[in-house]
Amino acid sequence: MILGLSQNPDLQGVLFIVFLLIYLVAFLGNFIIVIAITYNIILHTPMYVLLLSLAIVDIICTTSIIPKMLETMLTSGRTISYRGCMSQLFFFMWSLGAGMVLFTTMAYDRYVAICFPLHYSTVMNHHMCMALLSIVMAIAVTNSWLHIGLILKLTFCGPNTIDHFFCEIPPMLSLSFSPVKINEVMVYIADITLAVGDFTLTCISYAFIITTILRIRTAAVKRKAFSTCSSHLIVVSLYYCPVIYTYALPASSYTFERDKVVAALYTLVTPTLNPIVYSFRNK
């Protein structure tokens, strides 16, 4: 049983409309980016290939969560099968890991382009771009299979009510009758290495970028560059900080009402903002 964001029947209609609009904006925005970059040969460059990858990740993330969430709001049945729950968790964990590494890869791409413009075509060539995307995929799949494999070993024979709007690791661990210490340790290690590590590398890249921008003499170019960097950092922070907060805590300290709102930031809000911040402002 998935309880969803709220059990108040008076709010179900409003929440359904709000999250349907969020899903349509996120899906259509990212889908337009996929079509534009795929069919425009001029955009077959590393920067736009990375944007294409981020758009695909965002589509998978929102599609694995929101349609089922809307179904629970629209109908009285709030059930999800065990296999369906594991599938949802797999695709979410894959998109979460891929998104974090992609943000770092995109920050590195902008770092090379702005700080070493004359060497950009040599450093970020086709082979380097494919190698980075392969690393992103390998990390995302490994991270997802690792957590899914550990959860599949747990026993769920008691309470079957997930106080959340989708199947996520913390509420799943809180329902298990098996010891979850290994799961919590692996979640914490993944949180430190992926979330904190990628966030740190992303911030370092933007620090070098901002330092380079400060040397630019043209005021108009400097303002535009600062505007772009600040909007990127805001979206990145909205993604990393809630993830770090959620997965750094043990399952026993998980607060459902508060943490459902936090989870909505990196599962719903960020995929909706990404097309606007990274692409629609890009000529």
Side-chain angles (χ1 to χ4, degrees), residues 47 50-51 54 101-111 206 278:
M47 182 181 78
L50 293 175
L51 282 174
L54 182 64
V101 184
L102 263 177
F103 275 131
T104 305
T105 307
M106 292 168 66
Y108 172 73
D109 173 73
R110 292 299 84 206
Y111 161 72
Y206 276 105
Y278 280 97

Side-chain angles (χ1 to χ4, degrees), residues 69-87:
M69 177 182 175
L70 294 175
E71 179 189 336
T72 60
M73 291 179 181
L74 195 62
T75 62
S76 56
R78 296 192 173 192
T79 60
I80 183 171
S81 67
Y82 179 75
R83 289 184 178 181
C85 191
M86 292 299 105
S87 299

